[in-house]
Amino acid sequence: MQFPIKNKSFVFLPYFVALIVVSLIFINSISNFSGKKYIPPPVYSDEHQYLAMSINIFEYKIISHDDPRYGKDKVAPAWYREPLYPILLSLSFNFIKWDKFNYKECIYNNYDSKCNNLYKTAYTFNLLIYFLIFFSSLIILHKKIIASFFLIFIFCVIDPANTISNFAPELLSSLILIIFSYTLYLSMIKKKNNILFLILSGFSFAALIYIKNIFYYLSLLLILISFFLLLANFINIHFARKLKFHFNLKIIARIMIISLLAIILVLPYQIRNLFNFGETSLTKRGPEVLTLRNEFLNFSYEELNDGFIWYLNNFFNFKDEYIKNKIIDTDFKFYEQNDSSFYRAYNRSYGYIISRINNSYNKNFKSVEDIAIKGETDLLTKFNIETYLRNIPKQIYISLVIFFRGINNHSYLYDNYSLSNFISDTLWYFIIFNLIFTFFLSIIKKNLFFFITGLPSIFFIFAMSSLTQFEPRFSYTIIHFCVISSILYLYDKKN
């Protein structure tokens, strides 16, 4: 439903206000960045590895996970992480004067003033993505004036600074998720330009897979569902005409075409991996991530209950005493510095999964990496899947803990938990739960718009909670779409 406007010139008012707001944010962000010593991400952290990949791509035109300081002869192709974010990040390096300093050293050494240009360029690239998210959101809401102003307020309250300065793919995947969600819906309902929206949806779907390979399983799931719906439709028409159900063949066919197009576009990278590594998977992290997830099975239900407090936002430092007491307890498995911590145990011989593999197969593996080196990755994958499926009831409860972790953005200790953090965290809760509520309500009320556009985000929440560790920063992939869908839902409900 659209807000009634007598003067059409007001349609451009939100864009004008947004342009002023984001321009001020841009100027303020760049000036603050230039005036401070930027602390590079820890060596071998996720951020650091994405930067290293982007430098390898820029310097040697190789998608590699290796140290870019080694040189082209020693930098080998790799498939450890998805390639799209570092590829696009590497394009921004064309604005750096590389002849004056070896920026490959910047991500490994301590801060040097000459390195500021590297981080400033990467930071500006992320800031540009944020602005694209902002304006793509306004385009979706361009005829809803009140909602557009509300969007400006929400985006300013939910501070984007942590995401912009975080050299990881969540901001970019958020932008692509918004594009895919809405082109997917438009390809379902538009009578004109259907082919255009089908192509845009397929390409954005493929881009989403290239940046978050978990969405590859969504494409397979959609094809499977489409096949069964077509089969059910065929049975209904030819063998059970008295049954009162019917599925729109055009919508089913379009979903299948979009999913197949995405898979076809991803196929070249799979062929590349097959040629180089003998594997068709998009990354090699699957067995490692599933191992990390299954470490939670070593927790008792009482220990899992502690996770709901451990991962909760540290509202005005109320968790300080609790955390200090838990850290003193060396058996507390949520504390990452403990030797028995779930977070690090997978990489040592006493890890839950590694120990069980050694006991079950009379092996002597020391870590996940050791298994890979000895060519037993298939054994690790098989054992992890079997372990997961044998413990479904407990895995469901673990998924609730992991979901709770993913939606809490300020769970760690802070010297001063501010009022703005409290407001943004409260909004964060509301927006995510509103998306989930709206999605399931759309099924009951047969609302195609909220069902189709919300499906990728709901899939992401389910997959990340059920199969991985769902760190809070992963929520940035969906939070911007959640903001838009929440505003649309509240606005349409009001009108």
Side-chain angles (χ1 to χ4, degrees), residues 305-345:
N305 291 339
D306 279 336
F308 289 107
I309 300 177
W310 179 257
Y311 291 136
L312 182 65
N313 288 326
N314 189 23
F315 293 111
F316 303 103
N317 309 317
F318 86 101
K319 290 199 316 184
D320 287 6
E321 198 63 33
Y322 168 82
I323 291 176
K324 289 175 184 177
N325 292 333
K326 286 296 182 180
I327 289 175
I328 294 173
D329 181 4
T330 56
D331 294 328
F332 184 56
K333 294 176 183 176
F334 283 101
Y335 182 51
E336 297 177 7
Q337 303 305 316
N338 287 343
D339 288 341
S340 59
S341 163
F342 83 93
Y343 193 77
R344 299 299 176 190

Side-chain angles (χ1 to χ4, degrees), residues 447-481:
N447 186 318
L448 185 65
F449 173 78
F450 283 113
F451 178 78
I452 292 293
T453 57
L455 183 62
S457 294
I458 294 296
F459 169 83
F460 182 80
I461 292 172
F462 175 81
M464 298 303 289
S465 300
S466 301
L467 300 176
T468 77
Q469 54 180 320
F470 201 9
E471 293 185 6
R473 67 179 174 86
F474 296 160
S475 289
Y476 281 109
T477 296
I478 62 168
I479 192 63
H480 298 98
F481 174 79

Side-chain angles (χ1 to χ4, degrees), residues 279-447:
E279 297 283 349
T280 58
S281 56
L282 295 172
T283 70
K284 62 176 291 186
R285 302 185 67 203
E288 175 186 321
V289 170
L290 196 53
T291 301
L292 181 59
R293 162 62 187 227
N294 279 336
E295 289 297 327
F296 279 101
L297 292 171
N298 197 30
F299 287 46
S300 66
Y301 279 98
E302 290 75 16
E303 289 171 323
L304 287 172
N305 291 339
D306 279 336
F308 289 107
I309 300 177
W310 179 257
Y311 291 136
L312 182 65
N313 288 326
N314 189 23
F315 293 111
F316 303 103
N317 309 317
F318 86 101
K319 290 199 316 184
D320 287 6
E321 198 63 33
Y322 168 82
I323 291 176
K324 289 175 184 177
N325 292 333
K326 286 296 182 180
I327 289 175
I328 294 173
D329 181 4
T330 56
D331 294 328
F332 184 56
K333 294 176 183 176
F334 283 101
Y335 182 51
E336 297 177 7
Q337 303 305 316
N338 287 343
D339 288 341
S340 59
S341 163
F342 83 93
Y343 193 77
R344 299 299 176 190
Y346 80 96
N347 201 31
R348 298 187 175 91
S349 58
Y350 50 75
Y352 176 71
I353 295 299
I354 304 298
S355 298
R356 286 178 62 89
I357 290 177
N358 288 339
N359 293 333
S360 300
Y361 297 97
N362 195 25
K363 300 286 187 177
N364 190 30
F365 297 126
K366 297 180 179 179
S367 65
V368 171
E369 287 79 4
D370 189 30
I371 293 177
I373 291 171
K374 293 178 179 178
E376 298 276 7
T377 304
D378 290 341
L379 173 64
L380 178 65
T381 303
K382 177 184 176 182
F383 188 85
N384 266 317
I385 293 174
E386 291 175 350
T387 302
Y388 190 99
L389 295 176
R390 281 197 304 266
N391 297 274
I392 292 298
K394 193 170 187 178
Q395 290 285 12
I396 293 173
Y397 192 71
I398 293 171
S399 296
L400 295 176
V401 179
I402 301 302
F403 167 74
F404 194 71
R405 179 190 190 188
I407 65 171
N408 284 286
N409 196 37
H410 296 109
S411 59
Y412 299 105
L413 287 175
Y414 285 82
D415 292 333
N416 293 299
Y417 185 90
S418 64
L419 180 61
S420 62
N421 280 346
F422 176 78
I423 295 173
S424 65
D425 288 337
T426 303
L427 279 171
W428 192 282
Y429 282 135
F430 170 78
I431 287 167
I432 290 181
F433 282 108
N434 185 67
L435 170 71
I436 297 172
F437 169 77
T438 305
F439 178 78
F440 287 103
L441 188 65
S442 71
I443 298 175
I444 299 172
K445 294 191 174 183
K446 299 179 181 179
N447 186 318

